[in-house]
Amino acid sequence: MASTVPELKPSSRLLLGPGPSMVHPRVLRAMSTPLLGHLDPEFLVIMNEVQGMLRTVFQTENPFTIAISGTGSAGMEAALVNVVEPGDKVIVCVAGVFGARLAEIVGRCGGQLVKLEVPWGQVFTLDRIEEALRKEGRVRAVAIVHAETSTGAQQPLDGLGKLCRDHGALLVVDAVTSLGGVPVEVDRNGIDVCYSGTQKCLSCPPGLAPLTFSPRALELVRARKHKVQSWYLDVSMIADYWADGKRAYHHTAPISMVYALRESLRLVLEEGLEPRFARHRRHSAAVMAGLAELGCTPNAAEGHRLPSLNCVRTPEGVNDEAPIRKALLADHGIEIGGGLGPLVGKIWRIGLMGESSRQEHVLAVLAALEQALARTGRAVAPGAAVSAALKTYAR
Ligand SMILES: *Cc1c(COP(=O)(O)O)cnc(C)c1O
């Protein structure tokens, strides 16, 4: 009997939102490779290769560097459920949606939450965090978002690792929208626990969360008084699964996703980290120049703007931005993001992450925005935004 559900044929899309980002055909091909068993000796070699490449991308020597089965939020949860025991004091820096999610999870772990806040779009100074560490006494961890996807701000990490270490606290960093697009430098920055997601700057479909723990962090986890409340995300068991020579069954690795991540990491390393970071900066500068022509102003504080996620205030006089985003999708097949929380209706978020960060994509989204804005009756000089971007490229 023929199925009444038609064959899957999604429209072609240019993904320039806050994730997922565009995926290279090589990664899609890797996903259709026949499966191996997850304890097959050949698959164990593949896991080792993925771990090695993840260390290079995280810029760390940490032996415990793996991919958690689940999206970026699973990485976030794995970081916190292992580090935080009931009653532990944890300082969480909140400057947007993802900082707030960290705070929410600390509460669910039974941690004693100390929430630091700055207005959305701003970043934290070292002094502010130091003051909190001085005041609070014994603190288990400081958790902070490196690239706040809801605002487009990039939190500086210089000196933070040392500060935390001096106060006996672990540094937990969310690098979901930075890893593979912006330097994270886990070892140089003294980060103890760092996690990311596959679908942002690594340009792989969503489904895995790269995660690394410093030896110091892992020691603390192993010395816990209480069992980790999550069986699935207990890193001491997951460590035994990923440990070369051990491979104790814990859960079945999502084989096809591991293939995909392996191929996307190969692409990152073929390009090289520094050229890749430079590419993200170049296309960000071009799109921001074009957006300025359209009357959009940057949302994040000067000097702290993320090249992987370009957030701008919508142009003065645009009271309802949603129809413009809808037109981009319907007429041009282009996805961009709107605002979250207090920024709903106020900003656009244009992700130029991994494969999405290309000149042809920058020009396409600017031309589409020009047209969509002109249709609303605004005086938009045709080609002005595109030509501002081209000027940036010519420099
Ligand atoms: C996207 C994102 C997450 C969550 O990742 P999911 O893959 O959506 O679960 C966490 N933190 C930041 C900063 C993000 O941008």
Side-chain angles (χ1 to χ4, degrees), residues 14 81 134 182 197 208 217 227 233 247 278 311 335 355 373:
L14 181 52
V81 293
R134 284 238 167 87
V182 174
L208 287 174
K227 273 190 179 176
L233 297 175
R247 303 293 177 181
C311 292
E335 175 177 291
E355 291 301 312
L373 280 167

Side-chain angles (χ1 to χ4, degrees), residues 18 71-74 76 98 101 145 147-150 174-177 195 197 199-200 206:
T71 65
S73 306
M76 185 187 284
F98 295 99
R101 191 174 293 180
V145 178
E148 182 49 80
T149 319
S150 60
D174 177 317
V176 177
T177 296
Y195 59 88
Q199 82 275 28
K200 305 215 177 165

Side-chain angles (χ1 to χ4, degrees), residues 364-376:
V365 71
L366 291 173
L369 274 171
E370 277 177 4
Q371 197 197 32
L373 280 167
R375 282 232 184 105
T376 66

